[in-house]
Amino acid sequence: MTPVLTILTAIPAVAALLVLLAGNRAHLARTLAMLAAVASLALALWAWLGLSTDGTMTFVERSAWVPGLGIEYHLGVDGLGGLMVLLAAIVSLMAIAVSTKVTSQPGLYFALILLLESGLFGTFTALNFFHWFLFWELSLIPAFFLIKLWGGDGRGPAATQFFVYTMVGSVALLLAFLALFLATGSMDFEVLAQMASSGELTTAIQTHLGPISLWLALAVLLGFAVKVPLMPFHTWLPATYSKAPTPVTMLLTGAMSKMGVYGLLRLALPIFGQELAQVRTPLLVLATLTVVAGAWAAAVQKNLKRIFAYSSVNHLGYCLLAIFAVALPAGTNASITLSQTAALDGVVLQMFNHGLTAAAIFWFLALIEERSGGLLGINDFGGLRKPAPVLCGLMGIALFSSLGLPGLNGFVSEFLIFRGAFPLSWLSATVSVLGLLITAAVILTVIQRVFSGPVAERWKSFPDLTTTERLDFAPVLLLMALLGLLPQLALGTINATMTHLLAGWRF
Amino acid sequence: MLAYTIYLSFAGALVLAVLPRGWARSARVFALLVALCGLAVALAACVSAGAQGSVAVADVAWIPAMGIHYSLAADGISRVLVLLTGLAAVAGILFSWNIGEKQGDRANEFFAFFLALIGGVYGVFLSVDLFLLFVFYEIAIVPKYFLIAIWGSTRREYGAMKLALYSFAGSAMVLIGLLAAYATAGSHTMNLHELAQYPFPVSFQMWAFPLVFTGFAILAGMWPFHTWAPTGHVAAPTAASMLLAGVVMKLGAYGCLRVAMTLFPHGLDPWGFSFLGMDSWRTVFALFAVIGIIYGAAVALVQNDFKFVIGYSSVSHMGLVLLGLLTLTQIGLDGAVLQMFSHGILAGLLFATVGRIVYERTYTRDLGLLSKLQLGKAMPFAAWLFVIAGMASMGLPGFSGFVAEVQVLVGAWQAFPWFAIVAGVGIVVGVAYTWRAMQRAFFSDLPALDGSGAAVPVPEYEPVTWAEKTGVILLAGTSLLIGLYPRLLLDAIAPAVQALPHALLTGGRP
């Protein structure tokens, strides 16, 4: 059988080497990177369409890697991993497409982006902690250098903060899984999930290591909570998102933040479901806080990049809310199971939708920044709708998708999350509705301040989107509308996967 | 067939959105054609369905795993309101015929938002699946925001933002109530009729009902959540005010009836105790409705801005709709639905007279200034039009308003005699503010003298256009027709009201 997933991960990694050889020939480097990204996207799409419809792992690859330790090279994708791979491919392509003006070291720049993409693919396809962690870290290092070398003012501290926070999370993750390895002798996600489901895992930890399973769960949780982020572990994010070069912000918010949510779904819930169920209430409080405070923080920001940085915190907060709400013993109650499925379907779809929408919004911000000579304050503009109607109209679609307007992608996933979370935890879901309201106010305020009103003299000749730019956005915006009108396109596979996964989880 | 009203409007909006900017004339004509087709479909459906009950229009699985269907159906109430929407759409476009004549007006965008709003409104009136209903309800919020924020006048950004936030807050309340309903029913369906079969516990209905009812009633302009309405109406361009007062406020009242009252009929039951004279949510909301009637009328009486007079009169008239709904009697509910239709037509006519015919010629809405312009002589058409529209609006027999208001009052008399008396007083105040506005704007006795004491000649204004005349005939004619022969609509409304859940009309009430 063709090792599809290995090839998928290898394409950007190999291309990164080639691009590095291109050195300072910016055009050549970008073209090569673009080709690699398109090829990856095509393969990812092909893999998504080829997924099995019953929600089990497809394109599985297994071979012994470190036989002495029983470590296997184990890859596979289901509706969850497959969709994330697709998202990573889309966002990477968008990030490369937007990087038209890289002046210093273009070869290195595009090589790092491709390496990051390869890390993302690896993370979303790996089923053994050993190489999963390798890819998890692999994606972190290029991101650090991209921020450090190409970021805006104050990039140094921002990059360091980002690196330190994520590193702390990674170390916690690593320690927890080493402990698991000591207790069980396996690092395979499926094996561990199987043991957790049958209850062997708790016994194994208890006999080999003592009563520390809750601590292990919290350590794993910390790793992901930083990445998503869950408040109060979010403090690295606004500085990083606003100082990073915009293509990297697109990757950070569009794809890398999903690594955290993905980790929760792939590792934390299956392996530590029971432990998470124990601390469900405080986690729900934090998730609700993330939703509401994230939206509120966006409402008081004055810089567009920071507004949407916090808005991302808010949007992924819904995912956290649903994930923690799901950690509830269902028993044989079909109604609870249905709600859990709805919530999980919503989470996976929301990850994709948010990735697409947030990346698109930051892309628009990049275009505005480029045209305004670096200005991105919400009060710097006004009346842009008059000189640049197409820019404002298309960006408006992305903004309304983020607001959760029906007919666009964001609505369906948020509705499913609330549909699922409400029966599981009505209080946190009800409070979180506030987040929806505040987000609506934030988005409308942005539209009002930036797009409407009188045009300032300096923006009278603000250039509108060029034809190329319009064509660049067309597929992204069409995808938003398509998923909004026909969510079943993605939901069919997602639902099968989440039903299958949920059946194996134990809380 | 009715589903085509939705598709046509959205398709029209899409086409207009991509039309080149300069084509103002084509945009207008195209929008009018689309709206006319919608009206024709609505009319044909009304005629062919007659007194039939609920007719399924479409039903396709949409998100099967969650039991969400794209399912549309229309009973008499929906058909009447769809017809109203069609009329309001055509009239709105006729009264915005001057959009695009000024530079930078961008007629195609205006009409695109206009048709998108209309499409959303059609969708709400036709949805049976609650998810779908919510989708259309939310879709309708955004175009009205833009219509006001971009093409509005007085404090348009404030008005638009206030309206959007009130709407979103209302829909958030509705969302919570709906989610709670699914969670409680534990069912795999979001179909309104199937969900209404589920016996929700009374204690649950007691809090879900006021939540969802209030959420929708915000959009219906229920006191004390009405404040978005006057500011929104005043800020909006004429066509948008016509739609806001004409159909968007009806979305709220329709949601109150179709969702809140149908799903949670026992939320209207007595609490079993009395607090400040209130013994059930029904009395509380009826009190709000009556306060709205009186308060809206009283505030309209002292306004100096002509549009504010009409804006507050809408609050007052919508209070009658809500009061009619809460009577829970056949005649009161009939009256409420008929009042929705009638007010939709008449508010449209009044806003058109004030915002388009008068304002676009005199460029003032200040009653003090208007009183010096001798409009009765300068604009006899507008003056007589306002007389007719005002008479209809104050409930003169022969017009639709009379039949509707009488039914509401009779129903209210059976249910809450005191409220009926107060509402009657409100209607009398309605006569007063209409009279006052008419006097000051058109038939002022003030001698028009210039500085030296010589009489000012009667100013000349551009003549009334064919589009304005057609719109006027359409709206005033409809009101007259329904006033003279109300059975045209009542024959469709009454069976639909009878078919409402048994518990709603009889309930556990004494």
Side-chain angles (χ1 to χ4, degrees):
Chain A
M1 213 177 83
T2 332
V4 177
L5 299 178
T6 307
I7 296 176
L8 181 69
T9 313
I11 292 176
V14 173
L17 278 178
L18 291 177
V19 169
L20 206 53
L21 294 178
N24 282 336
R25 278 163 291 179
H27 188 69
L28 177 66
R30 182 158 176 273
T31 313
L32 276 175
M34 199 80 145
L35 282 177
V38 170
S40 315
L41 177 58
L43 192 57
L45 191 62
W46 182 80
W48 165 257
L49 294 176
L51 285 180
S52 74
T53 47
D54 59 356
T56 48
M57 286 289 172
T58 320
F59 304 112
V60 179
E61 296 171 34
R62 271 174 187 279
S63 50
W65 194 353
V66 191
L69 294 175
I71 292 171
E72 261 189 329
Y73 180 73
H74 184 185
L75 299 179
V77 284
D78 53 8
L80 169 63
L83 196 66
M84 288 307 105
V85 165
L86 196 56
L87 176 68
I90 294 174
V91 174
S92 305
L93 181 59
M94 286 165 78
I96 293 170
V98 72
S99 311
T100 47
K101 296 201 173 60
V102 185
T103 41
S104 68
Q105 294 177 284
L108 183 60
Y109 175 88
F110 286 109
L112 286 174
I113 286 196
L114 286 173
L115 212 55
L116 179 54
E117 184 180 10
S118 175
L120 287 166
F121 286 155
T123 313
F124 292 136
T125 53
L127 293 179
N128 189 303
F129 184 81
F130 191 74
H131 58 273
W132 179 87
F133 192 71
L134 205 72
F135 285 118
W136 170 274
E137 289 301 313
L138 182 65
S139 65
L140 178 60
I141 292 157
F144 169 77
F145 282 109
L146 283 166
I147 300 170
K148 175 92 183 159
L149 298 179
W150 286 273
D153 293 336
R155 60 198 171 199
T160 312
Q161 200 183 10
F162 165 72
F163 193 76
V164 170
Y165 267 79
T166 350
M167 208 57 198
V168 169
S170 299
V171 170
L173 256 179
L174 181 63
L175 292 178
F177 271 86
L178 284 179
L180 276 183
F181 184 65
L182 289 179
T184 63
S186 173
M187 280 193 178
D188 192 280
F189 295 160
E190 288 188 328
V191 174
L192 288 173
Q194 183 64 40
M195 290 176 75
S197 178
S198 64
E200 284 171 61
L201 185 68
T202 326
T203 332
I205 296 176
Q206 180 70 36
T207 43
H208 288 89
L209 301 168
I212 58 160
S213 59
L214 183 62
W215 292 105
L216 295 182
L218 290 179
V220 170
L221 197 67
L222 178 70
F224 299 132
V226 170
K227 200 87 172 184
V228 177
L230 173 73
M231 280 189 180
F233 307 104
H234 68 287
T235 47
W236 60 271
L237 181 138
T240 308
Y241 279 19
S242 54
K243 303 299 177 216
T246 310
V248 179
T249 311
M250 287 164 67
L251 278 167
L252 282 172
T253 181
M256 287 184 74
S257 63
K258 307 303 174 295
M259 291 163 67
V261 186
Y262 174 85
L264 285 171
L265 291 174
R266 180 68 78 210
L267 282 71
L269 278 182
I271 300 175
F272 293 107
Q274 279 169 298
E275 287 75 10
L276 289 183
Q278 284 172 30
V279 288
R280 182 172 177 261
T281 312
L283 288 179
L284 277 171
V285 171
L286 290 183
T288 313
L289 180 78
T290 309
V291 167
V292 178
W296 184 250
V300 297
Q301 293 297 322
K302 294 287 168 239
N303 179 290
L304 287 171
K305 262 185 160 180
R306 289 182 85 96
I307 290 177
F308 288 103
Y310 277 111
S311 179
S312 285
V313 175
N314 158 270
H315 278 97
L316 290 171
Y318 298 123
C319 290
L320 296 173
L321 172 78
I323 288 178
F324 297 145
V326 161
L328 185 74
T332 52
N333 189 330
S335 153
I336 291 189
T337 312
L338 179 74
S339 299
Q340 285 175 325
T341 319
L344 290 172
D345 286 356
V347 169
V348 179
L349 197 58
Q350 172 82 348
M351 286 158 78
F352 187 81
N353 287 339
H354 173 261
L356 195 65
T357 305
I361 289 178
F362 276 102
W363 187 352
F364 279 112
L365 290 185
L367 296 183
I368 293 180
E369 190 178 22
E370 185 185 305
R371 285 159 161 78
S372 70
L375 286 178
L376 267 184
I378 189 168
N379 294 323
D380 292 338
F381 299 97
L384 286 193
R385 208 175 53 80
K386 293 205 181 69
V390 179
L391 173 69
C392 295
L394 296 186
M395 183 167 172
I397 297 178
L399 289 175
F400 275 111
S401 152
S402 167
L403 180 148
L405 185 74
L408 295 168
N409 53 355
F411 174 75
V412 184
S413 47
E414 282 173 19
F415 185 88
L416 283 176
I417 285 180
F418 277 100
R419 159 74 183 83
F422 192 89
L424 302 174
S425 166
W426 66 271
L427 186 59
S428 54
T430 305
V431 177
S432 298
V433 169
L434 265 183
L436 293 177
L437 260 183
I438 303 174
T439 304
V442 172
I443 303 275
L444 288 180
T445 310
V446 168
I447 290 179
Q448 205 157 76
R449 297 277 184 79
V450 179
F451 295 171
S452 342
V455 201
E457 196 54 45
R458 59 202 292 207
W459 306 130
K460 279 268 162 63
S461 57
F462 197 86
D464 205 345
L465 291 188
T466 62
T467 315
T468 330
E469 286 165 342
R470 289 177 204 193
L471 290 178
D472 283 347
F473 277 112
V476 180
L477 298 175
L478 280 179
L479 190 55
M480 284 181 194
L482 193 65
L483 278 179
L485 295 175
L486 299 172
Q488 192 59 21
L489 287 179
L491 266 180
T493 315
I494 295 175
N495 188 262
T497 304
M498 295 333 278
T499 313
H500 175 76
L501 287 179
L502 191 65
W505 293 353
R506 197 174 120 155
F507 297 109
Chain B
M1 181 170 75
L2 266 175
Y4 282 98
T5 52
I6 306 175
Y7 310 145
L8 276 172
S9 309
F10 282 123
L14 259 181
V15 171
L16 283 170
V18 296
L19 218 61
R21 254 204 246 186
W23 296 13
R25 208 183 146 67
S26 333
R28 283 195 297 248
V29 174
F30 180 75
L32 183 62
L33 282 179
V34 171
L36 276 174
C37 290
L39 177 60
V41 171
L43 201 59
C46 272
V47 171
S48 68
Q52 260 179 292
S54 186
V55 183
V57 177
D59 189 13
V60 185
W62 195 9
I63 307 177
M66 293 300 124
I68 293 173
H69 283 239
Y70 177 83
S71 81
L72 304 171
D75 64 356
I77 300 174
S78 301
R79 286 197 293 269
V80 166
L81 292 173
V82 165
L83 186 63
L84 167 68
T85 312
L87 284 167
V90 172
I93 293 173
L94 285 172
F95 284 113
S96 14
W97 212 246
N98 57 341
I99 294 268
E101 275 167 13
K102 275 179 290 178
Q103 260 231 302
D105 246 355
R106 274 179 297 181
N108 60 324
E109 278 181 45
F110 178 87
F111 288 113
F113 283 124
F114 186 93
L115 287 181
L117 173 54
I118 289 290
V121 173
Y122 278 132
V124 174
F125 288 145
L126 291 174
S127 300
V128 187
D129 190 284
L130 282 174
F131 177 83
L132 188 61
L133 188 141
F134 191 75
V135 164
F136 283 123
Y137 191 75
E138 291 260 300
I139 285 184
I141 297 178
V142 169
K144 71 189 183 204
Y145 169 84
F146 281 112
L147 284 174
I148 299 176
I150 301 178
W151 288 274
S153 48
T154 324
R155 300 177 77 196
R156 57 185 176 191
E157 272 150 18
Y158 170 77
M161 186 62 107
K162 189 166 172 182
L163 179 145
L165 290 186
Y166 269 68
S167 309
F168 279 126
S171 57
M173 292 166 78
V174 170
L175 179 68
I176 294 174
L178 295 188
L179 292 175
Y182 300 132
T184 310
S187 57
H188 290 231
T189 175
M190 302 214 174
N191 184 298
L192 184 65
H193 298 315
E194 287 168 34
L195 216 53
Q197 305 289 326
Y198 184 84
F200 291 104
V202 173
S203 59
F204 169 77
Q205 300 197 19
M206 276 298 167
W207 69 262
F209 170 73
L211 187 72
V212 177
F213 190 89
T214 310
F216 280 116
I218 288 179
L219 207 58
M222 180 178 74
W223 184 89
F225 308 106
H226 66 285
T227 56
W228 67 268
T231 45
H233 287 142
V234 169
T238 304
S241 323
M242 290 173 68
L243 282 193
L244 267 187
V247 293
V248 171
M249 289 177 92
K250 274 69 197 176
L251 290 185
Y254 178 80
C256 288
L257 173 64
R258 184 67 86 201
V259 182
M261 294 170 63
T262 307
L263 280 188
F264 315 119
H266 290 292
L268 293 149
D269 291 353
W271 295 326
F273 61 90
S274 169
F275 178 72
L276 298 176
M278 300 290 110
D279 59 358
S280 66
W281 286 116
R282 184 183 173 213
T283 357
V284 171
F285 288 125
L287 177 69
F288 285 174
V290 169
I291 295 179
I293 297 172
I294 282 284
Y295 173 84
V299 176
L301 194 56
V302 297
Q303 290 301 314
N304 251 333
D305 185 316
F306 207 169
K307 243 183 167 178
F308 265 118
V309 175
I310 316 292
Y312 276 104
S313 89
S314 282
V315 173
S316 180
H317 282 119
M318 288 307 292
L320 273 171
V321 172
L322 293 173
L323 183 64
L325 292 179
L326 292 163
T327 61
L328 303 182
T329 55
Q330 170 84 35
I331 189 158
L333 282 160
D334 286 357
V337 178
L338 195 60
Q339 172 75 353
M340 285 193 218
F341 184 88
S342 162
H343 175 250
I345 298 288
L346 294 174
L349 195 55
L350 288 169
F351 274 117
T353 315
V354 174
R356 169 74 180 96
I357 301 184
V358 173
Y359 179 77
E360 297 281 335
R361 291 180 172 79
T362 63
Y363 297 104
T364 177
R365 295 190 308 251
D366 186 288
L367 285 174
L369 291 175
L370 285 172
S371 70
K372 301 203 178 82
L373 293 175
Q374 313 176 52
L375 287 186
K377 288 175 198 149
M379 260 189 236
F381 180 81
W384 291 110
L385 173 59
F386 190 80
V387 171
I388 295 172
M391 297 282 178
S393 161
M394 64 175 82
L396 206 71
F399 290 100
S400 52
F402 173 74
V403 204
E405 289 177 10
V406 163
Q407 295 195 65
V408 170
L409 286 182
V410 171
W413 178 257
Q414 293 167 3
F416 338 83
W418 279 107
F419 288 171
I421 293 171
V422 180
V425 173
I427 293 178
V428 175
V429 182
V431 175
Y433 68 70
T434 316
W435 204 259
R436 167 179 171 271
M438 190 195 311
Q439 277 290 333
R440 298 197 63 184
F442 297 104
F443 302 107
S444 171
D445 292 334
L446 279 182
L449 301 175
D450 63 12
S452 61
V456 179
V458 176
E460 289 201 12
Y461 298 106
E462 58 176 290
V464 177
T465 62
W466 67 267
E468 289 165 333
K469 283 183 189 156
T470 320
V472 164
I473 291 169
L474 183 69
L475 293 178
T478 310
S479 174
L480 195 62
L481 187 66
I482 301 305
L484 293 177
Y485 193 61
R487 280 192 57 194
L488 282 177
L489 296 182
L490 281 177
D491 280 353
I493 297 171
V497 168
Q498 258 162 16
L500 287 174
H502 188 62
L504 179 60
L505 293 175
T506 57
R509 283 171 292 278

